Amino acid sequence: MLCVMVALRDGGNPRPPAIWRTMSALDTGLVHLVGRLRVTGGIPRALRGRPLLMAANHIGVFDAFVLIAACQRLGFAPRFLLAGGLLDAPVLGPALRASGHLRVDRGKATAVEQFAQAVEAMRTTTSPIIVYPEGRISHDPGLWPERGKTGAARLALAAGVPVVPISQWGAHEAVYWGTETVTGPADLLPLARSGFTAPLRRPTFKVHFGDPVDLSDVDPERPGAGVRAHAKIMRAITAGLVPLRASEPDRPRFHDPTRPTDTVSPWRPGA
């Protein structure tokens, strides 16, 4: 599962490889074919051209496609830090590697080194990095953000960079959650059926880029700093999500029978 996106703005940095520009253009076309994209907010002018972390909620297997299209609308050509399994996949893997995407292998000793490399990249790049703090698609019955992990917050604190929250809604209506692991063609049928009918349903994909999260009161040297920063980031994402789903304040109208609902969000309004 996708865990991090590195967005390289055209201008100030080398253009992305041609294969990735082509894939991004195809992605935008796909998103507009499947539904309607609405993007609000943006990046403050003062933060453009400097290191920046963006944190988004994770609501479905199609939401990465929507984020790519939203970034394109704002003038960004995203690249990703991807799970190793995706980069090793046939056909898609070679294309992603040729596009210049980065690799992360969860649970391996290289994770510490990769975190250090990410911190250094954050300090030196002038391009934003977009992260899913939850680490997986939410299992909350209402599809509110899960508790998540502190990695994104620790990265921001260690690199000393601002954080912009991204809230999104609607991408969960395009394709079913499906299954945790794919063992055969049968596991792909729910995704295929829902995906093929999505252009007939024309869901609205809403993406909001919020105001930077104020982490000035979080001392990175104090114990628990990552936890406190993470909480502030997740609350900001949730606050931006509330107006996007104003007509669905409790649970999503769209029912996905394949998505697990075995966790409870601590960030849900009123929780």
Side-chain angles (χ1 to χ4, degrees), residues 84-260:
L86 191 56
L87 290 173
D88 293 334
V91 184
L92 180 61
L96 292 174
R97 292 196 299 271
S99 298
H101 297 287
L102 306 178
R103 181 189 194 98
V104 60
D105 294 296
R106 294 179 179 177
K108 295 187 178 181
T110 55
V112 175
E113 180 180 352
Q114 288 166 347
F115 181 81
Q117 292 173 346
V119 170
E120 182 60 26
M122 283 300 308
R123 289 171 173 165
T124 58
T125 185
T126 57
S127 301
I129 295 179
I130 303 181
V131 188
Y132 285 118
E134 295 168 86
R136 69 175 186 181
I137 296 168
S138 175
H139 287 198
D140 176 75
L143 204 51
W144 291 97
E146 287 196 319
R147 181 171 299 278
K149 305 178 185 300
T150 62
R154 291 188 294 108
L155 176 60
L157 291 175
V161 299
V163 178
V164 168
I166 301 178
S167 308
Q168 60 172 326
W169 189 247
H172 60 290
E173 299 184 23
V175 181
Y176 280 168
W177 180 88
T179 182
E180 193 73 47
T181 58
V182 176
T183 59
D187 293 331
L188 298 175
L189 286 179
L191 285 78
R193 289 170 180 161
S194 57
F196 283 139
T197 60
L200 302 177
R201 293 182 274 109
R202 298 289 293 166
T204 298
F205 308 130
K206 304 174 186 178
V207 182
H208 178 69
F209 294 78
D211 294 332
V213 181
D214 183 8
L215 299 179
S216 60
D217 61 340
V218 180
D219 182 353
E221 300 300 324
R222 293 188 61 185
V227 174
R228 289 190 292 274
H230 172 71
K232 299 189 74 168
I233 292 169
M234 297 307 297
R235 291 192 183 104
I237 293 173
T238 303
L241 180 60
V242 170
L244 298 185
R245 54 177 297 177
S247 61
E248 304 171 76
D250 184 29
R251 299 196 179 193
R253 282 193 299 265
F254 182 81
H255 176 60
D256 178 353
T258 68
R259 184 175 65 88

